[in-house]
Amino acid sequence: MAPAEGSISTLVAGLWLLNIVLDTGGQLAFKAAAGDPAAGDGLARWKHMAARPWLWLGIGSYVAEFLVWIAFLSLVPLSEGVLLGSINIVAIMLAGRFLFGEKLTRLRVAGIVLVTLGVAIVGLGA
């Protein structure tokens, strides 16, 4: 049974959510790898990061996300896909706040609201 006109199929919604999880997870893993205060500087920093699982988790997340993104884009128009994908910014900012204590200024919160509204509008019109 095909989805009703103006709605998103279960497959598209699942790929979209998986993309959000993988992109957010990858960004958080990279932040954890890069933010280790014991890493040192220069080449020593890169060696330290390469020996930690966070860097490899981030790379793995990005490889998986790439495959999911291609599958997602094969099912939706590019203009809708890119706009729906922008919700990743919101997920990453919120996760950064809760996991790394990053600041959410009024301007960032306004950006979160605007991006979320834009994604909702695109999602409703899909």
Side-chain angles (χ1 to χ4, degrees):
M1 179 177 211
E5 184 67 33
S7 68
I8 296 176
S9 74
T10 304
L11 177 59
V12 169
L15 289 170
W16 181 52
L17 291 173
L18 187 55
N19 175 268
I20 294 167
V21 168
L22 290 168
D23 186 39
T24 302
Q27 290 283 355
L28 294 172
F30 287 144
K31 175 67 174 178
D36 187 348
D41 292 321
L43 184 58
R45 179 179 199 79
W46 283 99
K47 286 181 179 179
H48 179 82
M49 285 190 299
R52 310 291 294 170
W54 291 117
L55 179 68
W56 301 106
L57 180 63
I59 291 169
S61 293
Y62 267 36
V63 169
E65 184 212 356
F66 170 76
L67 298 173
V68 169
W69 184 245
I70 295 297
F72 176 72
L73 287 180
S74 74
L75 300 172
V76 298
L78 180 60
S79 60
E80 288 177 21
V82 170
L83 288 171
L84 289 170
S86 66
I87 198 70
N88 294 359
I89 296 166
V90 173
I92 292 164
M93 278 200 298
L94 293 175
R97 168 69 179 116
F98 292 110
L99 295 175
F100 298 109
E102 295 181 352
K103 292 183 181 180
L104 284 180
T105 64
R106 286 184 183 184
L107 197 55
R108 289 181 185 170
V109 171
I112 287 171
V113 170
L114 291 172
V115 168
T116 303
L117 284 173
V119 170
I121 291 168
V122 170
L124 292 172

